[in-house]
Amino acid sequence: MQGRRYIVRRCPRCQGTWGQRDVHVAISEDTQSMKNFESRVYSISDFLEWHQNGLLDLSPSFQRRSVWTRAAKSYLIDTIVRGRPMPKILITQELTNQKTIRTVVDGQQRLRAILEFFEGSFAILKSHNDQYGRKTYAGLPEDAQSQILSYSIGVDVLYNAKLNDLLDIFARINTYSVALNTQEKLNAKYLGPFKIISYSLGHKYAEYFKEGKIITPSAVSRMAEAELSSDLLMSLSDGIQTSKNIEKTYKKYEPIEEIPEPLSGASERFEKVMSFIGAIYDGKSLSQTNWSRVHWFYTLFNCVSHGLYGDVVSDVVGAPRLSSENIVAWRSALSEISAQYDLYTTEKDIEIPRAFADFIDFSRRRTTDTDARLARARFVLKQIAA
């Protein structure tokens, strides 16, 4: 214990005196104790009560001003209604004039959105929740209201923290973040129906994407499944085009109160296309072919879509239709294309047919450009029809 000293002060929780023989012993070496916060869980009704009684400070001087859009607020309420967790909130708690005042260090925009919803300032967007769309809190059924009131929020509580401590904590909270990739920026920026549907489909088929080795498990942590599903959904709603247009498509459908018919139809079509792809190749079988490469899978997806609906590549004559009766024939043709690609790209001194040479070129260069994507789809459909 040499070089250390005991300190005596008031415990903010029990108001007793901290001392050497007390359970609240604190050892100091010119710094505070290792942990000076406490983790708790409060319900939304607790925050409402504090707010109504003037015991909740949402505007400390170091906090950013409220900048959330209506769509962002609606998405948070939908998160609560669906019982999904939200990130922890950080508050400081201090006794002032015999009242416990709670100041929000991190999470004020979430709490503002919740309070505004209870005040009737906005309604849930129908594109976020079809059941409760266009409803304020007062318009919700009693069971939904009770579910919201009892929703639990994780909270880290600081006691009697000084301003310099709060500033330090707030700075640290905003330090530990990884630079966002393109998809993560889209996720943060957009909340319209294209984003909602894309993410829902990406989450639904993430296991297949991983098993088929289209995306890696580590890439999923950076929203690779959402990036892929967005690209595929765009091809169904707005036609085959470069991946560079994804943000334009997000923006096109933002903000929209309801899910427009083109998107709704594209979502249903996405599901059907994926069901037929799964029938042609299960995840493990897909992973053993070139169709597991992301740009190849994009081609496979759109060729299957054309086989089912016949409207993806308009200038392909005699393109084969796909049904449950000819799945085996499609699998055989697709596997042959993959095998031929391996042969032509690994063997030396072998003559490559011109059409296949162009396909190889479009599979290696400018793979996400519109022209390359259309050319690959045309080639594959013609090969299946041969």
Side-chain angles (χ1 to χ4, degrees):
M1 297 302 292
Q2 187 176 1
R4 296 183 177 180
R5 60 187 176 82
Y6 289 107
I7 58 174
V8 179
R9 60 184 179 213
R10 291 279 178 188
C11 172
R13 280 164 281 179
C14 66
Q15 293 301 308
T17 299
W18 290 12
Q20 184 173 347
R21 298 182 180 276
D22 206 346
V23 294
H24 294 305
V25 170
I27 300 176
S28 173
E29 291 179 292
D30 299 323
T31 63
Q32 293 182 336
S33 59
M34 290 295 292
K35 180 179 178 181
N36 58 357
F37 69 92
E38 186 172 87
S39 296
R40 292 188 177 184
V41 176
Y42 292 110
S43 67
I44 284 180
S45 62
D46 290 323
F47 285 96
L48 283 172
E49 181 180 351
W50 299 334
H51 176 65
Q52 291 165 357
N53 293 324
L55 303 177
L56 186 65
D57 180 6
L58 291 169
S59 302
S61 57
F62 52 85
Q63 269 278 22
R64 293 182 291 247
R65 63 186 179 87
S66 180
V67 294
W68 274 22
T69 63
R70 180 196 172 195
K73 296 172 185 177
S74 169
Y75 196 58
L76 175 68
I77 300 303
D78 181 58
T79 297
I80 294 170
V81 168
R82 295 178 187 273
R84 301 286 196 266
M86 71 167 72
K88 270 187 176 184
I89 285 173
L90 180 63
I91 66 175
T92 181
Q93 185 169 303
E94 186 172 3
L95 191 64
T96 304
N97 297 326
Q98 304 303 312
K99 293 182 179 180
T100 300
I101 304 298
R102 297 167 177 86
T103 300
V104 181
V105 178
D106 187 60
Q108 64 109 337
Q109 295 190 70
R110 277 168 279 159
L111 290 176
R112 282 185 186 278
I114 292 170
L115 296 173
E116 288 175 11
F117 182 65
F118 277 89
E119 294 166 355
S121 298
F122 67 92
I124 302 172
L125 292 175
K126 198 167 180 63
S127 57
H128 288 164
N129 192 303
D130 186 62
Q131 181 180 5
Y132 297 133
R134 300 198 190 95
K135 294 185 183 296
T136 61
Y137 176 77
L140 294 175
E142 289 187 10
D143 60 335
Q145 291 180 344
S146 298
Q147 181 179 336
I148 293 174
L149 286 171
S150 60
Y151 178 88
S152 297
I153 300 176
V155 180
D156 284 336
V157 184
L158 300 161
Y159 295 96
N160 296 329
K162 296 179 180 179
L163 179 59
N164 63 321
D165 293 325
L166 297 179
L167 292 173
D168 177 63
I169 292 167
F170 192 69
R172 289 171 185 274
I173 289 172
N174 289 281
T175 295
Y176 298 108
S177 58
V178 178
L180 299 181
N181 63 28
T182 300
Q183 188 58 45
E184 289 166 332
K185 289 177 182 177
L186 292 176
N187 177 59
K189 187 175 181 180
Y190 297 102
L191 289 165
F194 185 84
K195 179 253 180 87
I196 301 301
I197 294 174
S198 294
Y199 276 65
S200 176
L201 293 169
H203 298 161
K204 181 172 182 177
Y205 294 105
E207 285 298 329
Y208 181 83
F209 295 157
K210 287 197 300 180
E211 186 180 17
K213 295 187 177 179
I214 306 163
I215 57 178
T216 64
S218 60
V220 171
S221 68
R222 301 303 303 272
M223 300 186 175
E225 81 291 346
E227 181 178 16
L228 176 58
S229 61
S230 297
D231 204 5
L232 297 175
L233 182 63
M234 178 175 66
S235 72
L236 299 180
S237 64
D238 294 73
I240 292 178
Q241 56 193 285
T242 173
S243 61
K244 296 175 183 177
N245 290 341
I246 289 180
E247 182 164 10
K248 292 181 181 178
T249 308
Y250 270 80
K251 189 174 182 178
K252 174 182 176 180
Y253 295 102
E254 177 100 8
I256 296 179
E257 174 71 32
E258 297 187 40
I259 298 175
E261 181 56 37
L263 269 185
S264 178
S267 176
E268 294 176 6
R269 185 162 168 167
F270 191 112
E271 301 262 18
K272 187 172 182 179
V273 170
M274 285 301 300
S275 70
F276 270 84
I277 289 177
I280 295 171
Y281 289 117
D282 59 39
K284 185 176 180 180
S285 298
L286 183 77
S287 71
Q288 298 169 359
T289 72
N290 286 300
W291 299 108
S292 65
R293 302 185 185 193
V294 173
H295 57 283
W296 278 63
F297 186 79
Y298 182 94
T299 300
L300 172 62
F301 184 92
N302 280 284
C303 287
V304 169
S305 179
H306 188 92
L308 293 171
Y309 298 96
D311 60 356
V312 176
V313 186
S314 59
D315 58 348
V316 176
V317 179
R321 298 305 297 270
L322 175 59
S323 66
S324 56
E325 284 72 34
N326 63 353
I327 285 176
V328 174
W330 270 67
R331 181 189 303 125
S332 177
L334 291 166
S335 296
E336 178 66 12
I337 293 171
S338 178
Q340 286 182 323
Y341 180 89
D342 288 337
L343 175 66
Y344 292 142
T345 55
T346 57
E347 294 292 329
K348 296 181 178 179
D349 302 323
I350 188 170
E351 184 178 352
I352 305 174
R354 176 59 185 273
F356 214 115
D358 290 340
F359 174 74
I360 292 173
D361 186 51
F362 284 123
S363 297
R364 287 177 163 178
R365 298 189 304 108
R366 301 182 293 110
T367 57
T368 63
D369 285 359
T370 303
D371 290 343
R373 287 178 160 183
L374 285 169
R376 291 199 306 269
R378 291 190 191 99
F379 173 81
V380 171
L381 289 170
K382 288 177 181 177
Q383 289 293 108
I384 295 174

